[in-house]
């Protein structure tokens, strides 16, 4: 608006006074409020209504109350809207079109139906969480998954805690409090901003002994650092970063040879920790938990909701003696998992006993192994729907793009995918690109009933279709029709 037009438009605004507002009782007795009372209850409805009336009174004080505001029909519709907003779940389902399959901010792994059913049952029915059905005595909740974890990893024993950060903290506190832990400088990682190996070490009461350099660490570096105060040699998976070029690190088998004569364990924080060789499906290869144990690791810690494809959990597998010590530590009780986690974890682990069906049945692996041609066909089906909705303001094309595994798993490897690329402007205006127009579109996608999350880069909004499961496709395209620009 120009200065001239601002001056020209001087609307005549009718004012209303606070005394024009109906009373709470009068509103509560209105016929059209009765269904709201039945749905939300008198307590909540009255509280929301009072707040709304307070706001209107404040508006009256500064002369901003209009006759429309005091109209009962308007009041009721405002009340209804506020109640709906207040009661909308804060944790919302959304479409992850970021291209990152295990997106930490979006909840990481999605669970298969077997796990969903088990969680429902655990939520609604008593179960033998810590009850031994054979003896009738007290049971151990770890025993629900320990056998299958040992079977899948070749370890002697296993325990489960809240997440992998908890697993590392517990392991260090149980085995290295007031002692030294030797770690290569190249492995002192920070994961997701809040998990840093040196900080966890300190909180666990262990002393970090850094050896080697950022890019190269040799067996002699570890050997020279071993003293009577050493509690363990520890290896940490670099997860979310990769060092390349002139690098050297010491493998688990070499560490095991160094540690054995001193009677100290080798522990490995694998991070994502895979239970199967991903290379068999054309995915980048990762050392499995079983291989790490076979190479001589005494303990391995890993996450439940990264590549494993299960619920948030931290798994510790390894020697029976060390697991026993860990389970006796009081922190184990503080970090223990709930029954929902165990209910979800057990069927996920069981899926690994039939690896030939994994890419079908394990959601994470199904998404990671989705064929680019199938994703492409899907993107091409959705293209006309989105283009029609966006009109001439934006240009939509179906393009090849790369997905990421996410959650620090294999940060440099990328998976060939397909999706929609949206650019502001159209061919007619020379494809002029407007960052602001893209931001606006990105925001309206986030405001859909089931928000759609993409990613912006190179003046383009990328909507990677890899994680759009075909069963959700029709909901997705119906919803696109609700985009408000
Ligand atoms: C992800 C990761 C962690 C933390 O695991 P959470 O399950 O997120 O707590 C710890 N160490 C490594 C190497 C990781 O990759």
């Amino acid at each position: 608006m120009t200065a001239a037009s601002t001056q020209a438009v001087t609307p005549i605004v009718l004012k209303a006074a606070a005394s024009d507002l109906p009373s709470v009782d009068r509103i509560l007795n209105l016929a059209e409020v009765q269904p709201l009372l039945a749905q939300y209850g008198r307590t909540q409805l009255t509280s929301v209504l009072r707040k709304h009336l307070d706001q209107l009174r404040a508006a009256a004080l500064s002369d901003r109350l209009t006759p429309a505001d005091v109209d009962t029909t308007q009041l009721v519709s405002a009340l209804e809207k506020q109640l709906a907003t207040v009661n909308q779940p804060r944790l919302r389902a959304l479409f992850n079109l970021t291209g990152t399959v295990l997106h930490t901010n979006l909840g990481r792994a999605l669970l298969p139906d077997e796990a969903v059913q088990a969680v429902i049952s655990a939520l609604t029915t008593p179960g033998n969480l810590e009850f031994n059905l054979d003896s009738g005595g007290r049971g151990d909740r770890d025993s629900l998954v320990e056998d299958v974890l040992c079977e899948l990893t070749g370890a002697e024993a296993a325990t489960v805690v809240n997440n992998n950060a908890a697993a590392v903290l517990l392991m260090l506190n149980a085995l290295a409090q007031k002692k030294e832990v030797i770690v290569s400088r190249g492995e002192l990682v920070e994961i997701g901003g809040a998990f840093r190996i040196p900080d966890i070490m300190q909180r666990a009461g262990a002393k970090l002994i850094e050896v080697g350099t950022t890019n190269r660490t040799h067996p002699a570096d570890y050997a020279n650092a071993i003293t009577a105060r050493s509690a363990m040699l520890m290896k940490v998976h670099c997860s979310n970063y990769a060092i390349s070029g002139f690098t050297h690190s010491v493998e688990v088998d070499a560490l095991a040879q160094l540690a054995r004569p001193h009677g100290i364990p080798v522990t490995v924080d694998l991070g994502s920790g895979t239970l199967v060789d991903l290379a068999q499906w054309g995915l980048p290869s990762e050392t499995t938990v079983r291989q790490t144990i076979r190479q001589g690791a005494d303990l391995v810690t890993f996450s439940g909701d990264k590549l494993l494809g299960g619920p948030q959990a931290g798994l510790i597998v390894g020697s029976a003696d060390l697991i026993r010590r860990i389970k006796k530590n009081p922190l184990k009780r503080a970090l223990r998992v709930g029954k929902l986690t165990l209910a979800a974890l057990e069927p996920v682990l069981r899926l690994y006993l039939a690896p030939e069906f994994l890419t079908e049945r394990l959601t994470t692996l199904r998404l990671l192994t989705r064929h680019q041609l199938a994703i492409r066909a899907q993107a091409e089906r959705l293209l006309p729907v989105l283009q029609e909705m966006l009109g001439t303001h934006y240009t939509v094309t179906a393009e090849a793009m790369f997905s990421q595994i996410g959650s620090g798993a294999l940060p440099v490897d990328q998976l060939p995918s397909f999706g929609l690329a949206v650019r502001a402007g159209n061919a007619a205006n020379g494809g002029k690109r407007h960052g602001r127009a893209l931001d606006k579109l990105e925001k309206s996608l986030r405001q859909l009933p089931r928000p759609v999350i993409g990613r912006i880069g190179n003046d383009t909004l990328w909507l990677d279709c890899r994680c759009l499961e075909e069963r959700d496709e029709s909901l997705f395209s119906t919803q696109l029709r609700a985009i408000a620009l």
Side-chain angles (χ1 to χ4, degrees):
M1 227 186 247
T2 63
S5 71
T6 314
Q7 281 163 7
V9 183
T10 317
I12 301 159
V13 183
L14 290 172
K15 297 283 157 48
S19 55
D20 298 331
L21 286 167
S23 70
V24 170
D25 277 345
R26 205 183 130 214
I27 296 174
L28 289 180
N29 286 324
L30 290 171
E32 61 262 48
V33 173
Q34 301 319 300
L36 296 180
L37 272 171
Q39 188 179 352
Y40 297 107
R42 180 172 292 263
T43 313
Q44 191 184 189
L45 192 146
T46 316
S47 140
V48 170
L49 175 59
R50 281 193 205 286
K51 266 187 217 149
H52 185 58
L53 290 173
D54 283 349
Q55 276 170 6
L56 294 180
R57 272 186 216 105
L61 280 181
S62 53
D63 252 2
R64 285 182 292 108
L65 194 67
T66 67
D69 290 330
V70 301
D71 172 62
T72 50
T73 315
Q74 287 258 3
L75 274 171
V76 172
S77 97
L79 179 63
E80 186 168 8
K81 233 166 135 184
Q82 285 178 21
L83 282 164
T85 309
V86 169
N87 285 280
Q88 185 179 55
R90 295 297 187 270
L91 183 59
R92 306 256 306 275
L94 51 75
F95 286 107
N96 171 13
L97 301 199
T98 61
T100 300
V101 178
L102 297 169
H103 198 303
T104 297
N105 304 144
L106 305 183
R108 290 194 185 160
L110 303 175
L111 298 211
D113 287 340
E114 291 86 341
V116 175
Q117 292 313 314
V119 169
I120 292 173
S121 167
L123 276 166
T124 51
T125 322
N128 59 328
L129 178 65
E130 285 189 357
F131 182 77
N132 186 323
L133 285 171
D134 293 326
S135 70
R138 194 194 161 107
D140 172 3
R141 64 179 68 199
D142 281 344
S143 67
L144 299 172
V145 290
E146 189 168 17
D147 290 358
V148 63
L149 271 171
C150 292
E151 162 95 23
L152 294 170
T153 62
E156 290 171 6
T159 184
V160 188
V161 286
N162 182 58
N163 55 18
N164 189 32
V168 175
L169 175 73
L170 174 62
M171 176 196 74
L172 289 170
N173 184 258
L175 308 178
Q177 195 178 20
K178 299 199 175 111
K179 290 193 185 159
E180 297 175 353
V181 177
I182 304 169
V183 188
S184 160
R185 286 200 170 86
E187 297 173 3
L188 295 177
V189 296
E190 170 182 303
I191 316 274
F195 177 87
R196 298 171 129 201
I197 291 295
D199 296 344
I200 290 278
M201 195 77 74
Q202 195 194 2
R203 291 286 162 159
K207 183 166 183 212
L208 170 65
I209 304 293
E210 303 175 23
V211 296
T213 61
T214 305
N215 59 329
R216 290 173 74 84
T217 303
H218 304 278
D221 296 322
Y222 289 93
N224 293 338
I226 298 177
T227 70
R229 295 178 302 279
S230 305
M232 66 177 74
L233 304 186
M234 182 180 180
K235 254 186 101 62
V236 184
H237 192 287
C238 289
S239 295
N240 52 8
Y241 88 113
I243 46 174
S244 58
F246 187 57
T247 64
H248 190 265
S249 64
V250 184
E251 293 307 317
V252 174
D253 45 2
L255 285 186
Q257 272 183 31
L258 282 175
R260 198 145 299 133
H262 299 275
I264 56 173
V266 172
T267 67
V268 181
D269 174 16
L270 262 192
S272 213
T274 56
L275 295 175
V276 279
D277 180 9
L278 298 174
Q280 63 186 297
W281 297 292
L283 292 167
S285 186
E286 267 281 280
T287 309
T288 64
V289 179
R290 176 182 289 279
Q291 284 164 342
T292 310
I293 294 277
R294 197 183 296 140
Q295 284 168 16
D298 297 287
L299 281 177
V300 181
T301 60
F302 53 106
S303 290
D305 56 353
K306 292 185 180 172
L307 278 171
L308 186 95
Q312 178 187 305
L315 302 134
I316 313 177
V317 302
S319 95
D321 173 48
L322 297 177
I323 295 286
R324 204 177 306 118
R325 282 169 63 191
I326 285 173
K327 289 177 72 159
K328 278 202 298 217
N329 186 290
L331 273 181
K332 159 69 179 159
R333 171 63 179 79
L335 302 171
R336 79 177 181 192
V337 286
K339 62 180 176 177
L340 303 186
T341 303
L342 287 164
L345 183 59
E346 187 192 345
V348 168
L349 292 174
R350 220 177 281 292
L351 288 180
Y352 281 91
L353 297 174
E356 42 284 87
F357 306 126
L358 272 178
T359 55
E360 226 178 284
R361 298 180 184 170
L362 187 69
T363 315
T364 298
L365 210 51
R366 186 169 65 240
L367 294 175
L368 289 174
T369 57
R370 256 188 98 189
H371 203 286
Q372 193 188 21
L373 283 178
I375 309 174
R376 176 180 189 153
Q378 189 178 36
E380 284 169 352
R381 283 194 296 274
L382 294 167
L383 169 65
V385 186
L386 185 61
Q387 183 66 78
E388 191 195 329
M389 273 320 294
L390 299 185
T392 54
H393 304 301
Y394 299 90
T395 309
V396 190
T397 48
E399 291 182 22
M401 50 189 76
F402 286 100
S403 311
Q404 290 194 5
I405 296 179
S407 273
L410 316 152
V412 282
D413 289 297
Q414 298 197 306
L415 314 170
S417 186
F418 228 87
L420 299 172
V422 188
R423 296 181 181 90
N426 57 25
N429 69 14
K432 226 164 102 192
R433 284 153 197 188
H434 307 287
R436 254 188 295 158
L438 272 190
D439 289 344
K440 191 170 147 206
L441 174 61
E442 186 263 347
K443 187 171 175 204
S444 22
L445 290 175
R446 263 190 286 122
Q447 285 168 346
L448 286 168
R450 183 153 163 188
V452 173
I453 313 297
R455 89 189 120 90
I456 289 183
N458 289 335
D459 293 322
T460 307
L461 175 65
W462 304 94
L463 302 172
D464 186 325
C465 292
R466 173 176 297 277
C467 295
L468 180 59
E469 293 242 61
E470 275 165 26
R471 66 173 182 206
D472 293 331
E473 190 181 314
S474 70
L475 172 63
F476 180 81
S477 63
T478 312
Q479 228 209 190
L480 286 182
R481 305 192 183 280
I483 297 180
L485 284 170

